[in-house]
Amino acid sequence: MNIVKAEVVVTSPDRNFVTLKLTTEEGFTGLGDATLNGRELAVVSYLQDHVAPLLIGKDASRIEDTWQFFYRSAYWRRGPVTMAAIAAVDMALWDIKGKAAGMPVYQLLGGASRQGLLAYGHASGSDIPELFDSIRKHLELGFRAVRVQTGVPGLNAIYGIASQSKETGGGEARYDHEPARRGAQPVQEDWDTRSYLRHLPRVFEAVRNEFGPEIPLLHDGHHRMTPIQAAQLGKNLEPYDLFWLEDCTPAENQESLKLVRQHTTTPLAIGEIFNTAWDFKDLIRDQLFDYVRGAVTHMGGITALKKTLDYAAMYQIKSGMHGPTDISPVGMAAAMHLGLAIHNFGIQEYMQHGDRTNQVFEQSFTWQDGLLHPGDKPGLGVSLNIDEAGKYPYQQAYLPFNRLADGTVHDW
């Protein structure tokens, strides 16, 4: 089952996506997601110029060996560009293996461990009434769990507030409900941690008073706090029983999470910007967090992330795989198959893609009663409509960045 063709497809229906398509001599095709938000063309070059030529003639059934070859043979290991490229190859090979076997990928991973995947949506508002409206909308869409992001008094534009888009009546449009914006320069947003720390507990108090104690609530700190600030926030949010506080402080400084852990029992989710099991290794061993936020697309694919999650399971740490719309439907499908199979599934992030994206990537997954299921088509269950993809060429886009009031660049 040798590979005879390796194609890299770049398309921008609602945002930019990078897809690897492999074809075997028997006619089986496999898709892999290689999207790296805001740096997409770096991965395109890595795939086209360095990886694709080495795939021709390789046996598509040798998934583990191929993974090890691309990780070890380049010598320069790790990093988001390398691991996104390897992830695309890995997903495509699992897709091919599933099609050759006539089975969905989750069956090849050991079969289903549950009926479906609990997913959370992104509710946000520039103020509390707008936030309440967004939460109600997500509940109407069937979500059983909701991430809560809100504006902060005195700050004009901050991470996670989808209501700033034209779709809801204000400001500059964000495409596909995410902050990356098309243009030649990134957009500047503003930040003040002390204002945020004062305001956020009041927000969660209001949400609990309005929606009750049962609904799982999540919040993303997006790496913007120092360790002691993160500890303070986690402690102040304890009365509101969060499902998790995500990326409360930059976790590259892994010692910092010891301080956070000592001061709060609020569950922690870490690692959406991590790329390998080595980034998680010590944090898992020391039990410094509760949910692995790695993405199949950025962690080297199904093969690599499953190993990380199997290690995490030894310490009762669960999955919380990254899944906003900068993960293509191919990457989302891979996450669903993996999440359905592993025992230590926690929750799946789920942002619904736009109509144009869904026309480019035809999907078999289902969304019912707050649960996702990847479907039972052989492979990953996603097909790429090349004609539709060709209608939407790449457009330059960047994520925003933060400055403090004095002009200092801050973590976004």
Side-chain angles (χ1 to χ4, degrees):
M1 198 164 64
N2 291 340
I3 298 167
V4 296
K5 186 184 293 186
E7 305 166 86
V8 181
V9 179
V10 183
T11 184
S12 189
D14 295 295
R15 64 183 308 141
N16 295 317
F17 296 112
V18 179
T19 306
L20 177 67
K21 181 179 179 181
L22 302 182
T23 304
T24 72
E25 56 193 350
E26 295 84 3
F28 293 117
T29 61
L31 300 178
D33 180 22
T35 306
L36 185 61
N37 194 6
R39 296 294 187 270
E40 299 89 354
L41 297 186
V43 191
V44 172
S45 176
Y46 195 104
L47 284 169
Q48 287 182 335
D49 299 332
H50 305 291
V51 173
L54 299 176
L55 285 165
I56 305 304
K58 281 200 174 291
D59 183 350
S61 67
R62 298 181 63 173
I63 297 176
E64 177 70 23
D65 181 68
T66 302
W67 195 98
Q68 297 294 343
F69 171 75
F70 281 111
Y71 183 77
R72 297 177 187 277
S73 69
Y75 185 71
W76 310 108
R77 302 179 184 180
R78 307 169 69 178
V81 174
T82 295
M83 299 312 291
I86 293 175
V89 174
D90 187 76
M91 281 182 244
L93 295 181
W94 278 106
D95 196 17
I96 288 170
K97 187 175 284 286
K99 290 173 181 175
M103 303 172 71
V105 167
Y106 75 82
Q107 293 287 10
L108 303 179
L109 298 173
S113 292
R114 56 197 48 83
Q115 294 179 339
L117 308 172
L118 177 66
Y120 71 91
H122 290 194
S124 66
S126 59
D127 54 27
I128 289 177
E130 194 174 83
L131 172 63
F132 284 2
D133 289 342
S134 181
I135 294 174
R136 292 188 187 99
K137 180 179 179 181
H138 280 79
L139 296 177
E140 291 169 1
L141 290 171
F143 285 98
R144 300 183 190 175
V146 178
R147 191 188 81 167
V148 172
Q149 305 294 136
T150 183
V152 175
L155 300 181
N156 295 319
I158 66 171
Y159 166 79
I161 312 301
S163 59
Q164 293 170 355
S165 70
K166 289 180 180 177
E167 290 88 349
T168 52
E172 181 182 355
R174 294 180 172 186
Y175 68 104
D176 214 0
H177 317 292
E178 268 287 287
R181 302 180 207 180
R182 292 165 171 164
Q185 294 290 328
V187 173
Q188 179 179 319
E189 296 184 345
D190 52 353
W191 187 247
D192 184 289
T193 307
R194 293 186 69 235
S195 296
Y196 162 78
L197 293 175
R198 288 194 303 270
H199 182 63
L200 196 65
R202 295 196 292 265
V203 171
F204 275 90
E205 180 181 27
V207 171
R208 280 292 182 216
N209 288 339
E210 180 71 15
F211 294 96
E214 296 300 325
I215 180 173
L217 300 177
L218 305 85
H219 179 73
D220 187 358
H222 228 241
H223 311 103
R224 289 169 292 182
M225 288 167 276
T226 65
I228 197 66
Q229 291 169 339
Q232 176 187 344
L233 179 63
K235 188 172 183 178
N236 289 342
L237 291 176
E238 286 175 11
Y240 312 113
D241 187 28
L242 268 64
F243 187 94
W244 77 34
L245 173 61
E246 177 184 347
D247 287 332
C248 55
T249 191
E252 299 100 312
N253 176 15
Q254 305 211 341
E255 291 288 320
S256 68
L257 286 173
K258 292 182 179 179
L259 187 150
V260 180
R261 199 62 145 174
Q262 289 168 1
H263 290 283
T264 181
T265 58
T266 296
L268 304 176
I270 295 294
E272 75 176 25
I273 63 170
F274 286 176
N275 306 125
T276 72
W278 299 104
D279 299 316
F280 283 105
K281 179 178 71 72
D282 293 347
L283 296 178
I284 292 172
R285 179 201 61 200
D286 295 339
Q287 302 178 66
L288 297 180
F289 72 121
D290 305 278
Y291 295 92
V292 172
R293 282 286 289 143
V296 177
T297 301
H298 303 139
M299 282 280 296
I302 293 170
T303 297
L305 187 51
K306 185 178 187 302
K307 291 176 181 178
T308 304
L309 291 171
D310 286 344
Y311 176 52
M314 296 174 61
Y315 297 91
Q316 299 179 319
I317 296 170
K318 296 184 177 182
S319 74
M321 282 177 262
H322 188 59
T325 48
D326 65 1
I327 304 296
S328 87
V330 177
M332 273 299 299
M336 289 184 214
H337 283 277
L338 180 56
L340 197 66
I342 59 173
H343 178 261
N344 58 325
F345 172 79
I347 199 167
Q348 175 62 54
E349 182 176 20
Y350 174 45
M351 292 184 69
Q352 296 172 335
H353 285 101
D355 291 340
R356 289 178 295 187
T357 296
N358 292 333
Q359 290 168 4
V360 171
F361 299 93
E362 298 164 1
Q363 305 151 55
S364 66
F365 80 89
T366 60
W367 167 243
Q368 187 174 1
D369 298 328
L371 300 178
L372 290 166
H373 192 285
D376 287 310
K377 286 188 175 181
L380 292 175
V382 180
S383 60
L384 177 65
N385 187 323
I386 293 293
D387 291 337
E388 283 295 316
K391 295 178 181 178
Y392 308 108
Y394 169 82
Q395 296 189 45
Q396 187 75 59
Y398 291 101
L399 291 167
F401 70 101
N402 272 339
R403 287 191 186 273
L404 305 179
D406 67 359
T408 302
V409 173
H410 188 66
D411 293 311
W412 178 77

